Structures are given as C-alpha cells and as structure tokens.
Amino acid sequence: MLEGLQASELTLYSILIFLFLENLVNLYLTRRQIFVYETSKDIPAELRDVMKKETFEKARLYGLDKANYEVFKLLVCDIAISSIELYTGFVAMVWMRAMEVTARVGLDNGSEIQVSIVFLLLINIIGTFKDMPFKIYSTFVLEEKHGFNKQTPAFFIKDQIKSFLVGQMLSIPIVAAIVYIVQIGGNYFFVWLWAFVGVVSLVLMMVYPVYIAPLFDKFRALEDGELKSSIEQLAASLKFPLGKLFVVEGSKRSAHSNAYFTGLFGAKRIVLFDTLLLNKGLPDDSTLTDDEKGKGCENKEVLAVLAHELGHWKLGHIRKNIIIMQVQMFLIFMAFSQLFKYSPLYQAVGFPPNVQPILIGFLVIVMYVLAPYNTVISFAMTILSRRFEYQADEFANSLGYSKELGKALVKLHIDNLGFPIYDWMYSAWNHSHPTLLQRLERLKRLQKKEK
C-alpha cells in the first residue's frame, strides 16, 4: 500500500498518524488522572493536619472539571479540527486568500514577504476566533465556577484586543525578517537566522517586563516595611543584583498566585503577585471579600518562596535553560535549511507543485515534521525542570527556609485548589514541577539529613 502512495500523500499520512498517536497518549494519561480524581476520597496522611476535608473535595472537583475540559478540547481541537485542517489543505487555502487580499489592498502579491505578513494576520485572526469559545468557557464557566475568575466581560474583551494587537506588532516584523534572511542568506542562512532569533529572544526577555507586562497588569512598588527589608537583605546575602521590588495586581485577573524575577543583565526585578501575600499585602482586610481574607503567605513564607526562586538564579538554572534554548533553535533552523526545499512537504498540506512559501515550510517542518523530535525534547526538558526544582528547594533548605517553604507550598496549593494526588505517569509526562507530596517528602528528608 505504501509503495503506491506519492511522497506528498505519505508525508501527510505520516503527520496525521503521529498527530493521532501523540494525542492518544495524552488522552490515555489524562484518563488515568481522571480516574484518580474520581476515586481519591481521603486526604493524604501528610496533609490531614493542614487541609480541611471541604477544601480537599473542592480541589478534587476543580481538578476533575479541568481534566474533563482538557479531554474535550483535545478531542475537538487537537484531533478533529487539526486533522480536518491538514487533510483539506486549510493552510494552502488561507495562503491563496492572503495573495488575493494582498493585491486587493494595493500591495504586491508577488512579494513573498508581503504575502507572508497578510497570511500571518489572517491565520491569527482565524485562530483567535477559533480559540475564543474555549477561552470564554475556561474563564467564565470553569474558573468562575470554582471561584478563580476575577475578570469582567469588559476586562476580558479589552485584554484579548490588547493581546492580539501586541502579538501582531511583535510577530509581523520578526516573520518578515525571517523570510528575508532565508531569501538572501545563501546556503548557511540558518546561522544568520539563529543569530537573529537569538538576539530577538534576549531583547524580548529584557523588554517584556518593563514595557509589555504593564500594558496588561498594574504594578506597584512594594511598600517599605519588614517584608521589603527582609527581601533586600536576602538578595544582598546572595549577591543578587536586586533593582526593584514590585507587586502585580494579579487578583484583578485571577485568584491564582505566583512570584518571579526578571532581567538578564545588571539590576533585576522581583515581582510578587498580590495573591501570594497575606491579605494581598494590604495593611487591613476591610476591602477584601470574605473569600479573600486570610489567604496568602506570611512574610517568612514569602521569603522561603523567593529563596527557592533565587536558588534557580544562584545555581545557574536560568543560564542553562537559555543555552539549551539556543542550541535547540540552532538545530531546528539547521534541520529547516535541509528540508524546506522538499516539495512533497508543501503538496502534503495542499499546495500545488513548485509553490513553496518559506513561512509555510517553516511552520510545517517545526510543527509537524519535527514533532517526534519536539516530543522527546519536551519530555527531556520536563525531567530537567523537575531536577532543577528539587535543587532550588535544596538551596532554600540550605538557607534555613525548609520549614517555611513547606508551609508556603501547602498554603499555595490550598489557596489555588491544587489537588495533592496525581497518577505517576500523568505527572511525569505533564508536570514541570514535582508534586506537592514529592517536594514535602524531599524537604523532610533534607531536614532529617541535617539533624
């Protein structure tokens, strides 16, 4: 049978088969986790003193609803819609429409760069409308049902418009530059492409927290006081080049909490979500709802969380991830340079012979041809990420924050309705962080080892 297939058909069916098998694995793993949600009725012994039965049940139902939603979205988007689009040559149809629109608005449809820009706009608009029902359901039904959504419809619409506009402003010049570099770069264009994308990635890492993030969330300087002084002392003791301390009002978007630091060179910023701080870090709780009162971490627990995050910096995890990312990009661009002239790749997604747009070749190769490689690398990075998390926990323990870190992890888990029990296969494949119980057990062993 395979001998009778043309190269383009063989390519298409190979892509579809791998797409189906990969999603089948994801479906199987998610079903395993759903079984855990359905059958786990008792609080783990490690958490019985700190987690109420009511909270455990809320977390179980929240996890179950999210997992069922994942299954639905996987079946509809990742299997059904993606397969139909591939089989019917949807991308080729959008490209042909982009050529028509390019000519209609007075641009040159003989210019691949100009057509690529219009194609990008069209595919992003289509993608936005395709994803919108799922975003609306996730935000206003799923998250709303479990008390996490804080967005009004007006805020949501404004947020989506800003996200789309910022996305286009960033992606259009980058895509135009990529096509141009491939056109003029010669046989070794992938080297120039890698250098360009690498520089752009580093610039965006520096620009995003200063100019882009404030477009979506309100940031305020952390008020003078015990917490700020303690954070500054912790940073100074580690020789961390702390520039500014901010609190982001993430509670206007969601009740979930987080903390991170940004900046590659020179002074760095530490950003705390207001939901991470006890009573949002406010001097009194008069403006909080009953559901918000008492949530968040005390100062010592916030310091423990930051000790973990600073551990990533001190142990070089950020630098290592950047290096890995750059090596990955180089290998992907090199593979692209070897494969993008292979005509059956374009015919497989609906293009006639001898029509080989650079942007389409890049998308097909990165998303589909290299999909098996990407899957293996993604799993390897998940394993590495979990190792880094354990190391950062150990670093926090070495600073004397083991007990407080354990308390903070439990509080954040409870506040975010995180379910503490996971199927081992599902967790190993999907979680970049070890589970709560795994981290608590490791912290307990570190404490015993020191004693």
Side-chain angles (χ1 to χ4, degrees), residues 106-374:
L107 298 174
D108 180 13
N109 65 358
S111 166
E112 188 171 336
I113 291 177
Q114 294 183 33
V115 177
S116 295
I117 291 172
V118 175
F119 169 82
L120 183 66
L121 281 171
L122 290 179
I123 208 74
N124 285 342
I125 291 170
I126 293 169
T128 298
F129 281 102
K130 188 169 64 177
D131 292 341
M132 194 56 62
F134 298 96
K135 286 184 178 180
I136 292 172
Y137 177 84
S138 176
T139 303
F140 293 102
V141 178
L142 181 57
E143 295 293 303
E144 184 84 29
K145 175 182 176 181
H146 295 279
F148 288 112
N149 174 48
K150 303 299 179 183
Q151 300 182 64
T152 63
F155 183 94
F156 178 83
I157 293 170
K158 183 180 177 182
D159 207 45
Q160 298 305 310
I161 292 173
K162 282 196 293 187
S163 295
F164 180 82
L165 293 177
V166 170
Q168 306 322 299
M169 290 173 64
L170 293 174
S171 61
I172 286 175
I174 291 173
V175 164
I178 287 174
V179 174
Y180 180 71
I181 290 170
V182 175
Q183 288 177 334
I184 69 165
N187 293 332
Y188 296 98
F189 74 82
F190 63 93
V191 177
W192 304 109
L193 195 57
W194 169 70
F196 167 74
V197 174
V199 170
V200 169
S201 299
L202 295 177
V203 169
L204 287 177
M205 286 181 188
M206 292 184 290
V207 168
Y208 179 83
V210 180
Y211 299 106
I212 299 177
L215 296 174
F216 299 93
D217 294 300
K218 184 177 179 180
F219 291 75
R220 72 172 193 265
L222 179 63
E223 297 83 357
D224 291 335
E226 180 187 346
L227 179 59
K228 183 176 180 180
S229 299
S230 298
I231 293 174
E232 289 173 342
Q233 290 172 12
L234 175 62
S237 69
L238 300 174
K239 297 182 180 179
F240 178 78
L242 176 61
K244 295 181 179 180
L245 273 166
F246 288 101
V247 176
V248 58
E249 294 185 3
S251 56
K252 288 188 176 180
R253 185 184 307 276
S254 169
H256 294 296
S257 49
N258 200 359
Y260 63 92
F261 68 85
T262 61
L264 291 177
F265 310 107
K268 302 181 188 296
R269 298 178 167 207
I270 289 179
V271 180
L272 310 173
F273 278 53
D274 58 353
T275 47
L276 174 69
L277 308 178
L278 183 64
N279 294 327
K280 296 185 182 179
L282 299 174
D284 65 81
D285 59 8
S286 59
T287 60
L288 302 179
T289 64
D290 290 339
D291 186 54
E292 293 172 331
K293 292 178 181 178
K295 285 191 173 182
C297 296
E298 297 177 356
N299 288 353
K300 286 186 177 180
E301 294 161 352
V302 174
L303 284 173
V305 172
L306 289 178
H308 169 93
E309 295 301 327
L310 292 175
H312 286 303
W313 169 78
K314 194 71 174 179
L315 298 171
H317 295 163
I318 312 299
R319 181 178 66 254
K320 291 172 184 176
N321 278 331
I322 290 174
I323 292 172
I324 291 171
M325 182 180 71
Q326 295 300 323
V327 172
Q328 280 295 104
M329 283 198 301
F330 183 82
L331 294 175
I332 287 172
F333 290 144
M334 185 168 65
F336 168 61
S337 71
Q338 300 300 311
L339 297 171
F340 85 108
K341 291 184 179 180
Y342 184 58
S343 181
L345 286 179
Y346 301 87
Q347 295 175 43
V349 293
F351 283 86
N354 301 320
V355 179
Q356 301 178 23
I358 292 168
L359 178 58
I360 301 299
F362 183 76
L363 293 176
V364 171
I365 291 168
V366 172
M367 291 176 62
Y368 300 118
V369 176
L370 295 179
Y373 169 79
N374 293 334

Side-chain angles (χ1 to χ4, degrees), residues 1-7 9-10 13-14 17 87:
M1 178 180 174
L2 292 177
E3 294 178 359
L5 292 175
Q6 294 182 357
E9 292 176 311
L10 184 59
Y13 291 138
S14 298
I17 289 170
Y87 193 78

